[in-house]
Amino acid sequence: MENLNFRRLRRLRYNPIIRDMVRETHLSKSDFIYPLFVVNGTNIKKEVSSMPGVYQQSIDNIVKECKECVELGIPAVLLFGIPEKKDEVGSDCYDDNGIIQRAVRAIKKEVKNLVVITDVCMCEYTSHGHCGIVKGDEILNDETIELLAKSALTHAQAGADIIAPSDMMDGRVAAIRAILDANGFEKIPLMSYSAKYASSYYGPFRDAAEGAPKFGDRKSHQMDFANSDEAIREIEEDIIEGADIVMVKPAGAYLDIIYRVKHEFGMPTAAYQVSGEYSMIKAAARLGWLEEEKIMLESLTAIKRAGADMIITYFAKDVARWMEKEK
Ligand code: PBG
Ligand code: ZN
């Protein structure tokens, strides 16, 4: 065994201190954005059956959650609203006094040092569960973006710090940017769900947000999961229209897309570890088939390693607590 020519790559793995020194990717609490589901009423905290540890909550409890996030060092929340009444045109979505608008006002009044991001889409607000105005079996694009823009404006007026359109209509970023700018909100950033795939990983979210389509699917606006170049066109278009942060969604099964997007555009890039990714880990952990904390850290680290600058995750509070414990 003399003069064998090989490198001893294990040298840097023999002890934990050295491993720490050469680690390339570090998760930080400031990477995380925590999604929250707001419902009407008071003192409501109802667990989503397919998402253990995730709740629909009334505004009073949402405010408490937000304070907890600040204490844990989580910089931002992403709000989804479930209105009392849904109708054909999703009125609550652009109502000054809608569920999200009231929630944002309450949070802004009571919580300091937290970035409040609002999701803009119509599917939680329409009786048919589609992401826009429906005629026959078609989701109308231009009629919808007008209402999305109206909705974004009411969010900004309520005090939202960042607006996040998740609808995947064409031209929504331009429409939202224009209405915000025309009303003195030129400083509000847009975090666009730019490469959002038509994904079965959203299943549990539809229980949480009660926004499942009553007929048909989302394939006429969300992307085909077989496509990668198309994601580049979607991202490019959103940047041209004024997106400040671009997003890839889902995350875990789309690491190649996150990687490409980060490298081709060099934009602040968000990734959404969606409901199904969370529920799969939770379910396997409950069965004793996976170690929850370890899988949680591995999945989030992989998303960051792929190129995500920030991660929207239902694990945000759990990871933050875990990181605190590990110190
Ligand atoms: C609304 C929206 C969805 C998600 C975020 N915003 C559902 C969908 O498009 O059907 C999914 C989030 C998740 O699964 O965690 N358009
Ligand atoms: Zn939608």
Side-chain angles (χ1 to χ4, degrees), residues 266-282:
M267 287 285 287
T269 303
Y272 199 143
Q273 183 182 50
V274 301
S275 56
E277 298 178 68
Y278 175 84
S279 298
M280 288 193 308
I281 294 174
K282 282 282 176 186

Side-chain angles (χ1 to χ4, degrees), residues 121 123 166 196 202 205-206 218 222 249 274-275 314:
C121 193
C123 50
S166 74
K196 178 175 177 180
Y202 308 152
F205 176 93
R206 293 175 188 173
R218 307 225 197 280
Q222 298 178 351
K249 177 185 172 198
V274 301
S275 56
Y314 301 98

